[in-house]
């Protein structure tokens, strides 16, 4: 039986434009292309875990609009169990994304139906959580839901991953003890720790701060610089595989989903990190969120 990953989080339709650069405040730019692409940090992580070998259940909400149908249908087509994806009255979540010629992006999300994923809804699908080996949360659904999910996941004795994205504030203190792996990127690590993160050393300092706050292990992802893995007082740097980046959207999600799938399948932490990095590296060579996520065979064949 493949290992079971449950993702609790957002589903968004990404409205993506490519432009030569990101616009400045008050500026209108001429874009080069436009596409609607399935995304949302939760759904992206679910797709990554599924393509990379895990059996996956998604817990989330979509609206009763055309985007909702496409988002749910897309996950079903990946073989993801969607019995815990509710369809609610109103609009699905959307993300407005601009990707520039340097493959960098700027994203604004509007929660829509993701805001309807409440603690009560989670309680109704507790059986899905009970069946998990690994439970992953992010921060695109209400905080109260994330807090409830983390506590329940800890109570059930699951491996708990929090990808604190997007981060606009520090985390509630009582969440940390529920987290086995906290996986922020550099800007999220900075917001959570209150420290500037712009080097390996400062990433280690931020990770140490988050471990002191009570988190289990911390992985600070640093884009092309790789990542820092912090385990107690030990820090290890994993350089990123070198690839030509086209679009970094969902690279972090691909890492999280790949890491979770590998960990759930019994790989060591180090092997799961390298596997997640290879998957994320492949994803940045392709455009879009979910279309960019590689399969297990592609990752196994990948050489940087
Ligand atoms: O992490 C990338 C994702 O962030 C996009 O797919 C978008 O939906 C936003 O949630």
């Amino acid at each position: 039986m493949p290992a079971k990953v449950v993702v609790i989080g957002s589903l968004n339709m990404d409205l993506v434009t490519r432009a030569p650069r990101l616009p400045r405040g008050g500026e209108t730019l001429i874009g080069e292309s436009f596409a609607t692409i399935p995304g949302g940090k939760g759904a992206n992580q679910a797709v990554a875990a599924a393509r990379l070998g895990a059996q996956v259940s998604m817990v989330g909400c979509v609206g009763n609009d055309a985007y909702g149908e496409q988002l749910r249908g897309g996950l079903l087509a990946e073989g993801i169990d969607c019995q815990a994806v509710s369809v609610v009255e109103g609009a699905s979540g959307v993300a407005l994304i601009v990707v520039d010629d340097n493959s960098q992006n700027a994203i604004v999300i509007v929660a829509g139906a993701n805001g309807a994923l409440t603690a009560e809804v989670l309680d109704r699908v507790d059986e899905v959580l009970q069946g998990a080996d690994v439970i992953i949360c992010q921060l695109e659904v209400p905080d109260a839901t994330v807090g409830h999910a983390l506590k329940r996941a800890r109570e059930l004795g699951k491996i708990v991953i929090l990808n604190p994205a997007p981060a606009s504030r520090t985390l509630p203190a009582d969440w940390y003890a529920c987290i086995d792996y906290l996986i922020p990127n550099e800007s999220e690590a900075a917001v959570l720790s209150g420290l500037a993160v712009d080097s390996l050393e400062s990433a280690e300092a931020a990770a140490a701060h988050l471990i002191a706050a009570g988190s289990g292990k911390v992985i600070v992802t640093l884009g092309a610089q790789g990542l820092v893995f912090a385990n107690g007082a030990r820090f290890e740097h994993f350089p990123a595989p070198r690839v030509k980046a086209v679009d970094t959207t969902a690279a972090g999600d691909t890492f999280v989903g790949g890491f979770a799938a590998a960990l759930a399948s019994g790989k060591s932490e180090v092997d799961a990190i390298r596997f997640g990095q290879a998957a994320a590296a492949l994803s940045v060579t392709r455009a879009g969120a979910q279309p960019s996520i590689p399969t297990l065979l592609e990752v196994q064949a990948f050489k940087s």
Side-chain angles (χ1 to χ4, degrees):
M1 276 290 276
K4 185 82 193 278
V5 172
V6 172
V7 180
I8 300 169
S10 59
L11 301 93
N12 294 331
M13 187 56 80
D14 292 351
L15 312 180
V16 186
T17 57
R18 284 205 80 108
R21 57 182 174 75
L22 305 182
R24 287 188 281 271
E27 184 183 28
T28 300
L29 285 179
I30 312 270
E32 292 156 353
S33 64
F34 173 75
T36 52
I37 301 175
K41 293 184 195 303
N44 296 344
Q45 292 172 17
V47 168
R51 284 191 193 155
L52 296 168
Q55 195 188 327
V56 180
S57 294
M58 178 78 204
V59 180
C61 294
V62 293
N64 59 348
D65 55 2
Y67 287 164
E69 224 169 274
Q70 286 170 42
L71 291 168
R72 198 166 176 281
L75 296 193
L76 287 170
E78 299 287 341
I80 294 170
D81 162 40
C82 288
Q83 60 170 303
V85 176
S86 316
V87 181
V88 301
E89 185 68 33
S92 295
V94 291
L96 311 179
I97 304 183
V98 182
V99 182
D100 74 11
D101 283 349
N102 293 320
S103 73
Q104 294 309 303
N105 62 45
I107 304 181
V108 177
I109 58 164
V110 180
N114 295 307
L117 185 65
T118 59
E120 293 68 42
V121 174
L122 268 192
D123 285 342
R124 288 205 290 272
V125 298
D126 194 63
E127 232 172 84
V128 174
L129 275 59
Q130 288 174 30
D133 295 303
V134 175
I135 293 182
I136 313 178
C137 300
Q138 326 74 31
L139 301 181
E140 288 186 336
V141 296
D143 276 2
T145 311
V146 178
H148 191 73
L150 294 174
K151 283 170 198 153
R152 182 63 183 142
R154 171 53 78 237
E155 220 170 70
L156 289 169
K158 308 301 180 186
I159 297 175
V160 184
I161 297 178
L162 176 66
N163 171 225
S168 55
R169 59 206 169 273
T170 55
L171 299 180
D174 60 342
W175 287 14
Y176 282 102
C178 303
I179 303 167
D180 293 304
Y181 297 94
L182 181 66
I183 311 184
N185 67 15
E186 60 262 70
S187 65
E188 291 148 6
V191 171
L192 265 43
S193 67
L195 304 169
V197 178
D198 50 15
S199 63
L200 292 182
E201 295 68 33
S202 54
E204 288 184 7
H209 182 96
L210 298 170
I211 285 181
S215 177
K217 297 165 188 175
V218 176
I219 298 174
V220 182
T221 61
L222 301 164
Q225 305 305 311
L227 61 82
V228 166
F229 174 47
N231 179 4
R234 285 192 295 115
F235 302 94
E236 194 173 349
H237 174 224
F238 291 75
R242 289 167 68 89
V243 289
K244 188 172 166 359
V246 168
D247 179 357
T248 58
T249 308
D253 299 330
T254 304
F255 173 78
V256 171
F259 173 73
L263 206 62
S265 76
K267 276 193 167 51
S268 70
E269 283 166 345
V270 165
D271 287 347
I273 286 173
R274 294 211 171 101
F275 179 81
Q277 283 188 300
L282 275 168
S283 79
V284 305
T285 65
R286 302 166 184 167
Q290 289 170 28
S292 73
I293 298 169
T295 62
L296 184 56
L297 284 179
E298 287 174 317
V299 175
Q300 285 166 343
F302 174 70
K303 290 192 180 50
S304 63

